[in-house]
Amino acid sequence: EENIFWSHSFEIGGQRLLEKFLKHDPITEEEIHSIDLYFTQQLELLYDAINTFAPTIMIGSSGTFDTLSDIYCYRNNLPIIDTPETPFTIHAFKGIFQELLSKDRESRMKIPGMIELRVDMIVVACCLINHLLSNYQFREIRVSSYSLKEGVLAELAVNN
């Protein structure tokens, strides 16, 4: 089905979270707790929508999700190919997340599939993913290869 049941944009981007919360490397338990409380406060509308629509699949696109999928593929000897959806699992996320929390920047850079553009931001972005997975019973994570830029290009193509 192609209906959009709800949408909202939250100002909790990775760069904002990085500047606001990540003061140590690796991140501290106190910083993780602070960021988790922040999500609880900022995502009230999302919680209402989740409770209303009861989604079972978390779909991520671009940025952190691409990098997580690449790390997963490297670890499982899967080819990294350009398809509409790339492989990833909740179980894989939990393992990678714990690893990211325990490593400093230099150690994170050594993880196959990690890119320098994401090496810092991935920590706080994964805190958000973990927050959602910890508070709601998603059955699976799916990673879309499409992102906002493809949506904008598609919209422009239709309207021109």
Side-chain angles (χ1 to χ4, degrees), residues 9-20:
S9 181
F10 294 92
E11 294 198 18
I12 55 169
Q15 190 60 44
R16 261 192 198 120
L17 295 174
L18 197 60
E19 291 168 4
K20 190 172 179 77

Side-chain angles (χ1 to χ4, degrees), residues 132-150:
L132 294 171
L133 290 175
S134 297
N135 287 288
Y136 299 98
Q137 295 302 310
F138 292 99
R139 265 193 351 256
E140 62 181 301
I141 293 180
R142 295 175 68 179
V143 179
S144 171
S145 296
Y146 300 118
S147 64
L148 184 59
K149 65 181 170 280
E150 283 86 2

Side-chain angles (χ1 to χ4, degrees), residues 55-126:
T56 58
I57 301 170
M58 176 187 289
I59 300 174
S61 69
S62 221
T64 292
F65 284 97
D66 286 344
T67 301
L68 290 169
S69 179
D70 286 352
I71 292 169
Y72 174 77
C73 287
Y74 275 103
R75 291 191 173 171
N76 292 282
N77 297 315
L78 300 171
I80 297 176
I81 53 176
D82 189 18
T83 57
E85 185 175 336
T86 59
F88 198 52
T89 68
I90 290 174
H91 178 74
F93 169 77
K94 290 179 179 181
I96 294 168
F97 178 58
Q98 289 308 312
E99 182 180 353
L100 292 172
L101 292 182
S102 68
K103 293 187 174 205
D104 64 11
R105 184 179 208 279
E106 184 180 341
S107 299
R108 289 192 306 272
M109 270 309 300
K110 293 178 183 171
I111 299 171
M114 181 63 69
I115 58 172
E116 189 162 8
L117 179 67
R118 300 271 169 242
V119 71
D120 297 316
M121 220 174 292
I122 198 168
V123 175
V124 291
C126 284

Side-chain angles (χ1 to χ4, degrees), residues 28-60:
T28 66
E29 286 292 327
E30 293 79 20
E31 289 166 336
I32 294 167
H33 182 69
S34 294
I35 199 169
D36 215 38
L37 286 175
Y38 181 76
F39 292 145
T40 300
Q41 296 163 355
Q42 297 298 310
L43 299 175
E44 200 169 312
L45 291 174
L46 178 62
Y47 303 147
D48 292 344
I50 288 174
N51 289 326
T52 299
F53 299 107
T56 58
I57 301 170
M58 176 187 289
I59 300 174

